[in-house]
DNA sequence: CGGCGGTATGAATCCGTAA
DNA sequence: GTTACGGATTCATACCGCC
């Protein structure tokens, strides 16, 4: 089977009924850009938990969350992570969220299978449930692991977009976001919460903006009430959900149907210079923006002359704009575009201005 | 508090030369109240890394952090965790700190050996090193795992002390503290950092106030430059350090010997006029800006003493800085921040000056 | 003495493409 | 596969020297 054929055959934007391991094993290999997984937590709660006023806490005690032992949980973890890795594209990545009950086992198995951890990201809850018994710290965070399929995976990371989300400061590995409450929290027919561990859309928004591009395929093997699908749809990504509980699928279907995709312009995010087209310095000479023999100036006033082939010649060294700059600074590397200036109407102007002119012509 | 025979034989308040596994195996079983461990992280760094200004990052490339494979690291982890568990008292507990490189393997092995995880605690660094290449999130936190020796261990948890340290709010599982820099950062004869990964005393302060009582025995198998020992001594706990590097032992000995000499220069302030997040008074204590036992002065010259949990004790009353101030004034309320002063170089300085210093670090 | 600007540095798995 | 090289990339804080 060819990759294109199978990729076209992906059940996009649907929720598949079944066990996630079996379903993933039935999907074509190397076909998914990102996996977001919120696996069962193996909470091992001993009996019921009560608040000081004796009201019962609605703990995570569903049948699917009971595992006899670490062994059973590890086998389960191995199996679904292996199935997930097979369907990931070579440059694909995975996010897994968990708590101290399960995240260490998940993280170790990720490493064992050859996934390459990129960050652990802490979701710091601004409004966590207190520890009612006063015997431990308020459990105020959960941990997400972000990992590439391989060490060599060229994973997607929208650095500039995340930086913009954070008011111009590089995004950190700890995210402060409130838990899912209020009208965002889905209810069943009885008015009870539809799912015990519904994640906030703000969390998925940050994950998907940061780690995917519009049109990417995102698979969620533990779809639940479909937060991943809802946010993927909003953001113009395709999703594949897998969920074996009919009640959750039903809620998710209804939820996602109501979601509207953001406008195309709203989906545009800041891009880094790295993603812009490369302009050889020689083009500036070819186009006559700089003439052979013209002088360029370093920040410290040193002079180099432009040669016809787009190299520079300084006092005792010649080479590219980067090489000569690095040599003058005694530095391992140098960005010649921002290092050198030329004289225009008597004022010194960075040569990067000329590159921007060419780039703006290219995108017209 | 009487000590058992085996505890009496312990080499208290000394730094033992040797491999931590062998040394621990030579100690009597069930004799230690708490273990704090900062094991090698197995960073697996490849080439050099440069900042955008071309300066080179001083990497952690020490011999002691080199492991050939996950298998080798896991064997090491198994061995020291096993030795640690044997010497823990039945109600003892362990803290282990790590990063995503190693913490998942440590956590899984803790669970495998029967330790019972109580919380994972995230140290959110207020001033982490950025991600210089813009390829990942700022690595802004480290993870600590707190676990009892057994599921049944009646571990020590000073809930009220921690709550007091946090100005009456239950302490959360995420702690914001700055990394160890400035005068607290120990230097060698050449003026270089004595240890590449020295932990801040504020971190150990919170761990030891929360998880031990005065007179408890705290063992640190990877003692390094002895932060655990220094804070233990400050807080009236006994410590046992194990360290195989002579250079680290030497620095640690010297450091701990003069622990009571409080470095007043840490009080130098730089007032910021930015946003004003809530700062618990306890942080001033944790961070060494005010010492437990230090005197605070009311406007009328009355004296109250600072306690390790961030409360004050006056002649006949104890409580928060606000409560004690209100009591002295016979007033319904009192702003302790502007009410109390401490002595710096013989002059009375409002404690609010210290709060401003912390705020300038928090608003990032 | 204070403010200001320049410099140093911290547990880091830190590039992408063309030849 | 490997090599070569263009060129993109940083935040909080401490300290020092200079007005």
């Amino acid at each position: 089977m060819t990759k294109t054929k199978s990729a076209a055959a992906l059940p996009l934007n649907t929720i598949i009924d079944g066990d996630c391991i079996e379903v993933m094993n039935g999907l074509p290999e190397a076909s998914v850009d990102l996996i977001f997984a919120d696996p069962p937590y193996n909470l091992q709660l001993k009996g019921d938990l009560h608040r000081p006023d004796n009201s019962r806490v609605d703990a995570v005690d569903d049948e699917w969350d009971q595992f006899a032992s670490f062994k059973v949980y590890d086998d389960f973890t191995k199996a679904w992570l292996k199935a997930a890795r097979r369907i990931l594209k070579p440059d694909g990545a995975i996010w897994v969220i968990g708590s101290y009950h399960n995240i260490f086992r998940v993280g170790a198995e990720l490493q064992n299978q050859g996934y390459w951890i990129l960050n652990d990201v802490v979701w710091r809850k601004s409004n966590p449930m207190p520890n009612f018994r006063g015997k431990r710290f308020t459990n105020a965070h959960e941990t997400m692991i972000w990992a590439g399929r391989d060490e060599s995976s060229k994973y997607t990371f929208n650095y500039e977009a995340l930086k913009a989300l954070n008011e111009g400061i590089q995004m950190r590995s700890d995210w402060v976001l409130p838990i899912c409450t209020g009208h965002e929290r889905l209810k069943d027919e009885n008015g009870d919460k539809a799912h015990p561990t519904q994640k906030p859309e703000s969390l998925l928004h940050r994950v998907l903006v940061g780690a995917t591009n519009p049109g990417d395929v995102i698979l969620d093997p533990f779809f639940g009430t479909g937060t991943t699908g809802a946010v993927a749809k909003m953001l113009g990504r395709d999703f594949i959900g897998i969920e074996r509980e009919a009640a959750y699928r039903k809620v998710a279907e209804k939820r996602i149907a109501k979601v509207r995709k953001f406008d195309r312009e709203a989906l545009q995010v800041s891009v880094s210079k790295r993603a812009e087209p490369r302009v050889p310095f020689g083009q500036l000479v070819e186009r006559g923006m700089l003439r052979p023999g013209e002088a360029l100036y370093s920040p410290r006033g040193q002079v180099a002359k432009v040669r016809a082939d787009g190299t520079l010649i300084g006092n005792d060294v010649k080479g590219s704009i980067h090489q000569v700059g690095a040599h003058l600074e005694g530095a391992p590397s140098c960005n010649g575009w921002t290092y050198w200036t030329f004289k225009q109407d008597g004022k010194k102007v960075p040569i990067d201005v000329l590159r921007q002119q060419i780039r703006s012509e290219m995108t017209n």
Side-chain angles (χ1 to χ4, degrees), chain A:
Chain A
M1 81 183 144
T2 70
K3 232 185 248 175
T4 19
K5 238 188 195 173
S6 52
L10 284 177
L12 295 181
N13 305 312
T14 59
I15 308 173
I16 305 171
D17 173 13
D19 171 77
C20 74
I21 298 165
E22 291 170 19
V23 172
M24 285 194 282
N25 284 339
L27 292 174
E29 65 175 333
S31 57
V32 165
D33 294 288
L34 192 86
I35 290 173
F36 183 91
D38 182 10
Y41 279 23
N42 192 22
L43 284 185
Q44 304 160 346
L45 290 183
K46 301 286 181 195
D48 288 349
L49 185 62
H50 289 82
R51 295 192 178 89
D53 66 2
N54 228 24
S55 65
R56 189 178 170 280
V57 175
D58 189 11
V60 180
D61 56 2
D62 292 2
E63 185 270 331
W64 53 260
D65 202 19
Q66 306 303 316
F67 287 91
S69 66
F70 287 130
K71 174 71 168 59
V72 174
Y73 192 80
D74 288 346
D75 288 346
F76 163 72
T77 302
K78 272 182 192 147
W80 80 258
L81 282 177
K82 186 180 170 198
R85 190 153 181 266
R86 190 188 65 86
I87 61 173
L88 273 180
K89 293 180 183 174
D91 291 336
I94 190 170
W95 287 71
V96 188
I97 184 166
S99 69
Y100 67 82
H101 305 89
N102 70 325
I103 198 66
F104 304 119
R105 316 199 76 82
V106 170
E109 183 58 23
L110 278 165
Q111 292 177 313
N112 291 342
Q113 294 198 10
Y115 287 97
W116 193 248
I117 298 183
L118 301 165
N119 276 115
D120 58 336
V121 174
V122 170
W123 168 29
R124 197 250 189 197
K125 302 176 185 180
S126 51
N127 49 350
M129 183 167 66
N131 184 292
F132 293 109
R133 288 175 174 158
K135 305 300 282 184
R136 304 184 185 190
F137 298 99
T138 304
N139 221 318
H141 75 276
E142 292 186 30
T143 300
M144 293 185 289
I145 301 175
W146 175 38
R149 197 194 77 167
D150 302 287
E151 181 177 354
S152 60
S153 296
K154 290 192 251 300
Y155 54 92
T156 297
F157 183 61
N158 294 318
Y159 176 77
E160 291 293 342
L162 288 162
K163 190 172 174 179
L165 266 181
N166 197 34
E167 292 188 319
I169 307 293
Q170 187 175 87
M171 187 71 79
R172 297 166 43 113
S173 59
D174 57 321
W175 301 356
V176 180
L177 296 169
I179 60 176
C180 183
T181 56
H183 69 275
E184 189 186 324
R185 187 82 196 220
L186 299 167
K187 304 290 193 297
D188 61 18
E189 303 81 10
N190 306 321
D192 301 322
K193 50 192 179 191
H195 192 280
T197 66
Q198 185 183 342
K199 297 293 175 288
E201 294 185 359
S202 58
L203 191 73
L204 270 295
H205 182 101
R206 192 174 291 183
V207 169
L208 297 188
V209 165
T212 65
N213 292 312
D216 278 3
V217 175
I218 298 144
L219 182 138
D220 186 334
F222 308 99
F223 202 59
T225 48
T227 307
T228 302
V231 177
K233 184 175 176 187
M234 285 176 207
L235 292 173
R237 277 73 166 165
D238 289 319
F239 70 88
I240 301 170
I242 307 172
E243 176 54 54
R244 63 183 195 185
E245 300 283 338
Y248 297 157
R249 287 199 306 275
K250 185 178 167 190
V251 172
E253 293 275 12
K254 192 172 161 191
R255 169 192 196 175
I256 294 169
K258 286 197 280 194
V259 167
R260 300 189 74 92
K261 181 182 160 182
F262 295 145
D263 294 338
R264 201 175 63 84
E265 291 110 47
L267 297 181
Q268 303 294 319
V269 297
S270 319
V271 296
S272 66
K273 287 182 191 167
R274 200 178 272 123
E276 295 183 56
R278 181 169 166 266
V279 177
F281 176 73
Q283 262 199 39
L284 276 56
V285 185
E286 287 174 346
R287 291 179 171 223
M289 301 168 107
L290 294 173
R291 285 165 294 107
E294 188 165 353
L296 298 190
Y297 302 89
S298 78
R300 293 194 279 196
Q302 292 144 307
V303 179
K305 284 194 175 169
V306 175
R307 302 202 295 179
D309 63 354
T311 59
L312 298 188
I313 181 160
N315 276 341
D316 55 344
V317 62
K318 54 192 173 186
S320 72
I321 53 173
H322 317 293
Q323 289 167 334
V324 177
H327 180 265
L328 288 179
E329 294 299 314
S333 69
C334 169
N335 183 343
W337 289 108
T338 54
Y339 183 78
W340 297 103
T341 54
F342 70 104
K343 280 198 179 163
Q344 186 173 39
D345 303 328
K347 290 198 299 185
K348 285 184 178 172
V349 178
I351 59 173
D352 205 27
V353 168
L354 303 176
R355 180 171 65 160
Q356 287 307 328
Q357 278 181 29
I358 295 179
R359 277 181 173 160
S360 66
E361 292 167 22
M362 292 168 73
T363 54
N364 284 344

